[in-house]
Amino acid sequence: MKNIILVALLIPLFSSAQAPTDTASLNEGNFHTAWSHSAKYPVKVYWHLTPEMLNCANPLKRSEAFGPDSQLMKETDLNKDYAKSGYDRGHNFNAADDACAPPKLNAHCWYFTNMAPQLPNLNRITWKALEDQCRKWVTAGDDLFIECGSYGKIKTIGPDKVWVPEFCWKVVKHKSGEIDSYLMPNTSDVNQYPFTYYHTDIAVIMQKTGLDSL
């Protein structure tokens, strides 16, 4: 299917920080999220990406309608926290994966329960390249079970003290049974390597996040 060379990660995986455990489990329709009350980012988001989700006559344009989750209105009203912070509102469940959804359902992927603060070079370059690759796999006939999330705290932003994660991770399970896992540092120089550089074993992600099932 693909040729990915497993390389030794030269990123600082010595961090002992694990994913927060104070989560609310939310069903958002086309995806599910485990939202941390303390970190104010999703610890884990998961969905099933199928060809039908990417193949429609009139895909929705990006709405940029970031906003609070209707299930947690007060604590997820976080636009002010990201404003002028230098961090992007980084999607976990990607908006392009939801472009064939009805508009009311698509609105859920713009909730802050689906966002984590990511530096632009991660969100717009390296993380995006992996998102694009997932869609290429599906367009070529695959379907994927995808899980992703964040862990750790570099600092906080805004009056609500949203945690900026140290790492963002993604696990991609192909219909063949093959698993591709990635662990990316939330740093400004992450884009010096292609996304394939951050390919790792799922066991590493489980150890670093503290999540016991992926």
Side-chain angles (χ1 to χ4, degrees):
M1 182 193 306
K2 53 198 175 299
N3 294 312
I4 294 178
I5 299 174
L6 300 184
V7 297
L9 294 181
L10 299 180
I11 54 179
L13 296 182
F14 53 77
S15 171
S16 61
Q18 294 191 331
T21 58
D22 60 337
T23 58
S25 180
L26 305 173
N27 183 345
E28 302 291 359
N30 279 346
F31 67 101
H32 291 74
T33 181
W35 161 262
S36 168
H37 298 287
S38 58
K40 295 180 173 61
Y41 63 57
V43 168
K44 182 170 78 170
V45 176
Y46 61 95
W47 67 99
H48 183 196
L49 185 60
T50 66
E52 291 74 22
M53 294 174 68
L54 304 179
N55 184 20
C56 57
N58 297 296
L60 298 173
K61 295 181 179 179
R62 284 178 63 91
S63 72
E64 304 294 333
F66 297 95
D69 192 314
S70 59
Q71 299 175 81
L72 293 170
M73 286 294 291
K74 186 175 181 180
E75 71 172 294
T76 64
D77 186 10
L78 301 176
N79 262 312
K80 60 187 178 300
D81 296 272
Y82 283 80
K84 299 181 180 180
S85 69
Y87 288 89
D88 287 355
R89 296 162 291 192
H91 281 80
N92 284 258
F93 174 59
N94 186 252
D97 290 358
D98 205 39
C100 291
K104 286 186 177 180
L105 186 59
N106 176 263
H108 294 201
C109 81
W110 298 92
Y111 289 163
F112 279 102
T113 44
N114 186 39
M115 305 297 155
Q118 293 181 333
L119 283 166
N121 284 353
L122 175 60
N123 181 47
R124 305 177 196 181
I125 301 176
T126 315
W127 190 258
K128 181 181 183 298
L130 176 53
E131 292 173 329
D132 291 344
Q133 180 61 63
C134 288
R135 285 188 289 276
K136 288 177 183 177
W137 284 327
V138 172
T139 300
D142 207 345
D143 63 59
L144 306 175
F145 284 94
I146 301 174
E147 299 172 277
C148 68
S150 301
Y151 76 90
K153 179 172 70 171
I154 298 172
K155 64 177 185 177
T156 64
I157 55 172
D160 296 294
K161 300 188 183 303
V162 177
W163 291 17
V164 176
E166 293 178 73
F167 291 91
C168 297
W169 59 270
K170 181 169 284 188
V171 173
V172 180
K173 300 178 181 179
H174 302 267
K175 68 179 181 181
S176 66
E178 185 176 0
I179 297 175
D180 286 308
S181 304
Y182 303 86
L183 184 60
M184 301 181 188
N186 192 12
T187 58
S188 59
D189 61 353
V190 63
N191 63 308
Q192 69 179 309
Y193 301 111
F195 79 87
T196 51
Y197 175 82
Y198 300 102
H199 196 283
T200 189
D201 192 274
I202 190 173
V204 173
I205 296 175
M206 293 174 69
Q207 178 190 6
K208 298 300 177 182
T209 61
L211 298 173
D212 58 7
S213 63
L214 289 176

